[in-house]
Amino acid sequence: MSNDAVITQLNEILKHEWTGVAQYSQASFIIEGPWREVYSSKFEEDAEESFNHAKLIGNKIVALGGVPVAQRNEIKQTRDLREMLENALAFESKAVEMYEKALELAEGTRSLVVFLEDILLQEQEGVDEYSKLLRESAAADAQLSARKSG
C-alpha cells in the first residue's frame, strides 16, 4: 500500500466531507414552509455526520503521515426541497464512490480497510435514505397533482 496514494484520496474525501458540512448546514438554514420542521433537523444531522467523518479522516491522514486539506468543494444551493434532496442523494452517492476508491487503495491493510468500511456503511445508508425520501416525495407529488386536477 502506498501511503501517498491513500493520503491523496483521503484528502479528496476530506474536501468532500467539508463540503457536506457547508451544504447540509446551508440547506438546514434556508428550508422553509411546512416541511421545515422535518428537513431542517435532517440536514443538521447530516452536516454533523459530515463533520464527524471529516474529523475521522483528518486524524487518519495525520496518522498516515500526511497533512489534511482545509478546503472544500463548491456547495449546491437551492430553495426547492426536491432539489435539496436530489443534491443530498448526489452528495452521498459521490461519497460512496470516494470511499470505495480509498478501500481499493487500502487493500492489504486490514485496520484501514475496516476503518473505511465503517464510514462507507454510513454513507451507503445515506444513499438509501435519500433514495427513499425522493420516492416518498414523488408519491406525495403525484397525490398533490391528482388532488389539484380532480
Side-chain angles (χ1 to χ4, degrees):
M1 175 188 83
S2 164
N3 272 1
D4 290 343
V6 171
I7 289 168
T8 297
Q9 181 61 23
L10 292 179
N11 265 317
E12 288 303 310
I13 289 170
L14 183 56
K15 282 197 298 191
H16 190 71
E17 295 294 3
W18 286 135
T19 304
V21 173
Q23 185 167 311
Y24 285 129
S25 294
Q26 181 70 357
S28 78
F29 301 152
I30 64 176
I31 184 82
E32 298 175 309
W35 291 106
R36 176 173 172 70
E37 190 173 332
V38 173
Y39 287 106
S40 180
S41 296
K42 168 75 173 134
F43 292 135
E44 285 174 8
E45 290 169 10
D46 289 342
E48 189 174 312
E49 180 177 282
S50 284
F51 183 62
N52 288 333
H53 290 171
K55 290 189 293 186
L56 291 169
I57 295 299
N59 280 315
K60 185 56 74 177
I61 290 167
V62 172
L64 294 171
V67 177
V69 296
Q71 299 95 11
R72 65 168 169 78
N73 301 314
E74 188 173 334
I75 67 169
K76 294 182 180 179
Q77 297 186 78
T78 182
R79 289 184 171 273
D80 180 80
L81 174 58
R82 183 160 189 81
E83 283 182 51
M84 286 180 188
L85 296 174
E86 289 168 351
N87 290 344
L89 176 58
F91 178 85
E92 297 293 331
S93 296
K94 178 69 175 174
V96 166
E97 289 175 28
M98 296 177 87
Y99 280 98
E100 286 175 343
K101 183 175 178 182
L103 275 162
E104 289 174 19
L105 296 170
E107 192 173 318
T109 306
R110 186 72 185 135
S111 61
L112 183 56
V113 167
V114 171
F115 169 82
L116 293 168
E117 284 176 340
D118 286 346
I119 301 172
L120 173 61
L121 177 61
Q122 293 173 27
E123 298 295 356
Q124 183 60 54
E125 288 170 351
V127 168
D128 295 347
E129 187 64 25
Y130 279 108
S131 295
K132 290 186 284 186
L133 284 170
L134 281 163
R135 263 188 303 231
E136 284 295 319
S137 181
D141 290 346
Q143 289 177 342
L144 279 173
S145 295
R147 287 184 199 154
K148 287 180 182 178
S149 62

